Amino acid sequence: MVAFLLLLGHSTQVQAAPYAAMVMDGRTGEVLHSRNANTRLHPASLTKMMTLYITFEAIRNGELSLDTKVQISRNAAAEPPSKLGLRSGQKIAVRYLIRAAAIKSANDAATALGEAVSGSEAAFARRMTRTAKALGMTKTTFKNAHGLTQKGHLSTAHDMTILGRHMLYDYPEYYNLFSRRTADAKVRQVANTNRRLLGSYKGADGIKTGYTNAAGFNLVASAKRGDERIIATVFGGKSSASRNAKVAELLDLGFRRAPTHAKLRRPSRPSYQGNKGIQVASSEPHDGRAGKTIRVNGAVLKSLRPKSRPESTVVVAIADETPEQDDDALKASIDAAITEATLETAQATNEDLNDAQIIAAVASVSSALPTVSRVQPYRGGLRPIARPANIETAAVAPEPVVVTRLSSSGGRYWGINVGRYTNRFKAEKVLLKTALTEMSTLSGTLRKVVKSPRGFDATFQGLSQDRAELACRRLAARNLTCRTIGPRS
């Protein structure tokens, strides 16, 4: 009986997860310590760092905002703990889902965010993997948004350290989330799963914990003391207490090895790729399931040359001694002249043409011209009489060139208002700060302070309606005040 119990105890003992660790100087990206850092292991809820990173990217690029209401699908509501307790069909703002995923590590909130951004968790997981590769996380593959154990869902201590550093520098406006001990997640107050390290280690301000049986106790932590910033990652801890102790030890090692002063070398943010040909039809499905996704054609990758025009023979009377012209040379000279004329026209009208537009312009000009094919010399009849040298020809006036300007606002201008202030100085200061924050949509606009009896309105003018609405969406995603101003009647 004793032997049976011993055997039973041995068979039910959980095998310890593999250990891996990395320590990095957050300012420079220099590796200060590494152990099994490139071994592919289960990341557990460290996965949610990528879920949040892509959500922040989607907000910055206007795919959704912090106030976008997400309808919870049956798939998200059915996720196992840790969870917020969301119900199928419930609607909740993105900001609360972010808090629940970042602070409580809620699986249902993470899945809901993935479905809101990409339409389905599977599509979101593919975007997660693409983003990981763009960040340099070469050994990471994601299969879900929450990190529960799934075949092929793997990462490394090195890759998660890279992700933690990008989270810190690419989206600093959201980084404070990871240092909050508690937060309002709408459904209820949630406590930070990393609160013990945050409360016990001087300078600790994040980032994310993770645990599953297969992964063990994982943690990507960061701490700042003076000008020094250290990031430490541990995979495979045996308990939360021993993991925290090991992370504290690694952070101490990092502060000892890192130079007191070092020039900050921010990591390069990857180019925005979005959902790669998938449009999210709605983040609020009517039947409680994940939003439908629609595949659409992506951007044109290559512009093909237009097909040759059908040749037509033009009979021209030529003197016997006129030599036959070479077909290829003649066609080449005509093509060159057409291309040169088209490019000069584009420069004269100050238009920016891409390759596809230039080819289309060449095709439209050349299609109006007949093709000159090889002709035979005229053999019969009299030679034409030479034209007298003193004949005066009438001057032909050049056709006028009409330059038009396209406008999406019907000749009227739109603008945006970013707030009303008590004096002109404050309004101008906000305009300058906003222009620097949102350069992509506000470039080339007119910054204008409009005085009224109620104060000084800070406005940007000279936008199209679409551009004004896009600017407001992007500013609202940063919690900045913005409203569109329609054209004057």
Side-chain angles (χ1 to χ4, degrees), residues 114-437:
E115 292 174 346
V117 172
S118 295
S120 71
E121 189 175 15
F124 186 71
R126 291 190 291 272
R127 178 166 174 176
M128 293 170 75
T129 301
R130 288 197 306 270
T131 304
K133 298 298 184 284
L135 291 171
M137 301 167 61
T138 58
K139 294 190 175 183
T140 295
T141 305
F142 292 108
K143 297 295 182 179
N144 58 57
H146 41 68
L148 294 174
T149 304
Q150 186 172 341
K151 183 179 180 181
H153 187 94
L154 299 169
S155 187
T156 68
H158 168 270
D159 284 1
M160 282 297 164
T161 306
I162 294 293
L163 178 57
R165 185 166 183 253
H166 274 278
M167 183 71 78
L168 172 65
Y169 289 111
D170 290 356
Y171 297 99
E173 65 269 35
Y174 298 107
Y175 183 74
N176 69 87
L177 277 168
F178 301 104
S179 62
R180 297 184 190 180
R181 310 301 169 83
T182 61
D184 174 19
K186 186 67 173 179
V187 175
R188 57 192 171 96
Q189 285 285 121
V190 293
N192 198 321
T193 58
N194 195 31
R195 59 189 179 277
R196 290 185 175 84
L197 182 72
L198 292 173
S200 63
Y201 192 86
K202 180 182 177 182
D205 56 10
I207 303 174
K208 189 73 191 70
T209 63
Y211 168 76
T212 62
N213 285 334
F217 291 83
N218 299 349
L219 175 58
V220 176
S222 182
K224 188 175 189 297
R225 293 179 180 176
D227 293 331
E228 299 177 52
R229 163 71 70 178
I230 302 299
I231 302 172
T233 299
V234 164
F235 274 57
K238 296 180 180 179
S239 68
S240 61
S242 64
R243 174 200 65 194
N244 289 352
K246 186 62 178 179
V247 167
E249 177 186 327
L250 292 174
L251 289 170
D252 287 342
L253 179 149
F255 282 116
R256 288 196 305 270
R257 293 185 178 180
T260 304
H261 301 288
K263 184 178 180 181
L264 176 61
R265 296 199 296 269
R266 295 176 182 271
S268 299
R269 186 188 304 158
S271 59
Y272 172 64
Q273 300 182 27
N275 283 315
K276 282 286 185 181
I278 298 177
Q279 286 184 341
V280 181
S282 173
S283 61
E284 299 185 3
H286 299 291
D287 59 357
R289 294 177 295 179
K292 182 181 179 182
T293 60
I294 303 173
R295 292 193 175 275
V296 297
N297 291 330
V300 177
L301 300 180
K302 185 170 72 170
S303 297
L304 301 176
R305 290 184 64 87
K307 293 182 179 180
S308 301
R309 301 182 303 275
E311 295 188 354
S312 59
T313 303
V314 179
V315 179
V316 182
I318 305 177
D320 285 343
E321 60 270 17
T322 303
E324 295 182 3
Q325 296 190 24
D326 181 78
D327 288 358
D328 294 335
L330 185 58
K331 290 184 68 176
S333 63
I334 292 175
D335 288 343
I338 293 172
T339 303
E340 181 180 344
T342 305
L343 292 174
E344 288 177 355
T345 303
Q347 293 171 358
T349 56
N350 196 26
E351 294 177 354
D352 293 326
L353 297 178
N354 57 33
D355 290 344
Q357 291 173 314
I358 291 174
I359 291 173
V362 171
S364 64
V365 174
S366 59
S367 62
L369 298 177
T371 299
V372 179
S373 62
R374 184 186 298 270
V375 296
Q376 298 297 326
Y378 181 68
R379 299 296 181 182
L382 300 175
R383 292 180 179 274
I385 301 173
R387 185 177 62 182
N390 58 354
I391 290 180
E392 295 182 3
T393 58
V396 180
E399 293 185 4
V401 178
V402 179
V403 179
T404 62
R405 179 178 180 178
L406 299 178
S407 172
S408 61
S409 58
R412 301 177 180 178
Y413 292 99
W414 284 69
I416 62 172
N417 185 312
V418 293
R420 179 173 292 149
Y421 302 91
T422 55
N423 58 60
R424 181 177 296 274
F425 173 76
K426 288 183 179 179
E428 290 177 345
K429 183 178 179 181
V430 169
L431 283 175
L432 180 59
K433 184 177 179 181
T434 306
L436 294 174
T437 301

